[in-house]
Amino acid sequence: MLRLSTKGQYGVRAMYEIARGYPDEPVTIRSISEKQDVSIPYLEQILNKLRHAGLIRSIKGPGGGYVLQRAPEEITIADILFELEGPVAITSCLDPSEGCIRVERCVTHLLWKSLGKQIEDFLNTITLKDLLSGKSYKDFANIINKKKRMAGV
Amino acid sequence: MLRLSTKGQYGVRAMYEIARGYPDEPVTIRSISEKQDVSIPYLEQILNKLRHAGLIRSIKGPGGGYVLQRAPEEITIADILFELEGPVAITSCLDPSEGCIRVERCVTHLLWKSLGKQIEDFLNTITLKDLLSGKSYKDFANIINKKKRMAGV
DNA sequence: AAATACCTTACTAATTTTGTCAAGTATTTT
DNA sequence: AAAATACTTGACAAAATTAGTAAGGTATTT
């Protein structure tokens, strides 16, 4: 349950490759394709969205490729996934573009909203830099929990 | 992104109705259908799974219906969703039934695993009793954060 | 025996996902 | 100027999943 589509997954992996070239080495689509085992046409579709969102820009011609528009520590996983898959919406009625017609009597509305918030907090906290620095499983949990403690939750 | 299927959503809402009758009032499928706006055949499919999982049992004949097998505080949202939608698996390679062929070189593996763990912790913490007692949005967040603090995370 | 209520399997329409394909446009190097 | 490299766009379609419906049972109580 709660699976992420391949677009989101590949998008994050593509951004990881582009981040590795930051700040001065443009990364070609071919090189991303080879390193991450994703077809070039599919990557084009994905990178196109990320470019329109202002997360990356492209440099044409020989020697060109993609580069980050912001530093790796300034780009979160949420930034990437949001562009490729839209907002976290555990249920359709929690999608801002749809809306709920039975909020009042829906006993689970707040439950899903709260779960969505937990997920968003996590995704907003982890950045490309965390990915680059090879964080461990425990590290990721600590990053988010530490942040919450500091926020006084 | 990360949407729950209707089976999972309806399943939780159905369990909520059955929990309202706990411990001595069997809840008919018809009554669940009317209160939660879900068709009877679809509910049968859902309740069948929950029954096989031992979360509920059915009483046949007039005056019959469904009743919880355990107290509301002993049944978590994770118990319900796991039966209806399988384990939390952000990516297919994190699904226990599939497995990952590139764990070593996958830079996002631990990220998704960690996110999955956050979600599971949340779902394992909230029970039917929390739903019955009409918890607020903030309440849900507090339940899980308090638990984590106590665990010394 | 009649009414109530659950039980099971099969099927299918709709939607979403996961890509491919074809035909471009833009830039740099030689 | 030409060639090579690289990105850009929109349309299309197979495959998988979701979200149910339909039909024909079986079991229990009154």
Side-chain angles (χ1 to χ4, degrees), chain A:
Chain A
M1 69 170 122
L2 294 174
R3 190 159 298 185
L4 212 56
S5 81
T6 56
K7 263 198 179 116
Q9 298 176 41
Y10 296 167
V12 173
R13 277 155 58 187
M15 287 295 279
Y16 167 85
E17 291 297 336
I18 297 170
R20 289 184 66 187
Y22 185 84
D24 48 20
E25 188 89 350
V27 179
T28 68
I29 227 173
R30 171 184 299 252
S31 126
I32 299 173
S33 168
E34 285 166 359
K35 288 182 183 157
Q36 295 294 335
D37 298 322
V38 180
S39 79
I40 288 178
Y42 202 26
L43 273 176
E44 284 174 340
Q45 212 177 112
I46 292 167
L47 295 181
N48 212 350
K49 284 192 178 189
L50 298 176
R51 188 173 53 80
H52 276 120
L55 296 180
I56 54 178
R57 71 189 170 85
S58 64
I59 298 171
K60 296 189 173 182
Y66 289 92
V67 293
L68 295 188
Q69 283 274 52
R70 302 200 298 267
E73 61 267 32
E74 299 294 328
I75 298 179
T76 70
I77 305 300
D79 291 333
I80 301 166
L81 294 184
F82 188 93
E83 288 307 324
L84 297 172
E85 307 209 15
V88 174
I90 306 298
T91 62
S92 64
C93 76
L94 278 171
D95 190 321
S97 69
E98 304 198 24
C100 187
I101 55 169
R102 36 177 292 148
V103 185
E104 302 308 320
R105 50 201 177 104
C106 182
V107 294
T108 51
H109 191 89
L110 294 178
L111 172 68
W112 305 133
K113 191 174 172 186
S114 185
L115 172 57
K117 182 66 163 48
Q118 295 276 328
I119 295 173
E120 277 181 12
D121 285 350
F122 181 91
L123 297 175
N124 272 315
T125 303
I126 312 291
T127 70
L128 282 180
K129 192 181 179 190
D130 295 321
L131 234 49
L132 286 173
S133 65
K135 289 268 188 288
S136 76
Y137 175 65
K138 283 261 173 189
D139 290 335
F140 286 124
N142 285 336
I143 289 172
I144 177 72
N145 288 326
K146 184 176 175 184
K147 191 188 170 186
K148 292 207 168 183
R149 267 202 306 281
M150 281 166 47
V153 180

Side-chain angles (χ1 to χ4, degrees), chain B residues 56-67:
Chain B
I56 53 179
R57 72 188 170 86
S58 64
I59 298 170
K60 297 189 173 181
Y66 289 92
V67 293

Side-chain angles (χ1 to χ4, degrees), chain B:
Chain B
M1 69 169 121
L2 295 174
R3 191 159 296 185
L4 213 56
S5 81
T6 56
K7 263 199 178 113
Q9 296 175 43
Y10 296 166
V12 173
R13 277 156 58 188
M15 287 295 279
Y16 166 85
E17 291 297 337
I18 298 170
R20 290 184 65 187
Y22 186 85
D24 48 20
E25 188 89 352
V27 179
T28 68
I29 227 175
R30 171 183 300 253
S31 125
I32 299 173
S33 169
E34 284 166 359
K35 286 182 184 156
Q36 295 295 335
D37 298 321
V38 179
S39 79
I40 288 178
Y42 202 25
L43 273 176
E44 283 176 340
Q45 214 177 112
I46 292 167
L47 295 181
N48 213 348
K49 285 193 177 191
L50 297 175
R51 188 173 53 81
H52 275 120
L55 296 179
I56 53 179
R57 72 188 170 86
S58 64
I59 298 170
K60 297 189 173 181
Y66 289 92
V67 293
L68 296 189
Q69 283 276 52
R70 303 200 298 266
E73 61 267 32
E74 298 295 328
I75 299 179
T76 70
I77 305 299
D79 291 333
I80 301 167
L81 294 183
F82 188 93
E83 287 308 323
L84 297 172
E85 307 209 15
V88 174
I90 306 298
T91 62
S92 64
C93 77
L94 278 170
D95 190 322
S97 68
E98 304 199 24
C100 187
I101 56 169
R102 36 177 292 148
V103 184
E104 302 307 321
R105 52 202 175 103
C106 182
V107 294
T108 51
H109 190 90
L110 294 177
L111 172 68
W112 304 133
K113 190 174 172 186
S114 185
L115 172 58
K117 181 66 163 49
Q118 295 277 327
I119 295 172
E120 277 181 12
D121 285 350
F122 181 92
L123 298 175
N124 272 316
T125 302
I126 312 291
T127 70
L128 282 180
K129 190 181 180 189
D130 296 320
L131 234 50
L132 286 173
S133 64
K135 289 268 188 290
S136 77
Y137 175 64
K138 284 261 173 190
D139 290 335
F140 286 125
N142 285 336
I143 289 172
I144 176 73
N145 289 325
K146 184 177 176 186
K147 190 188 171 187
K148 292 207 168 184
R149 265 200 308 280
M150 280 165 46
V153 180

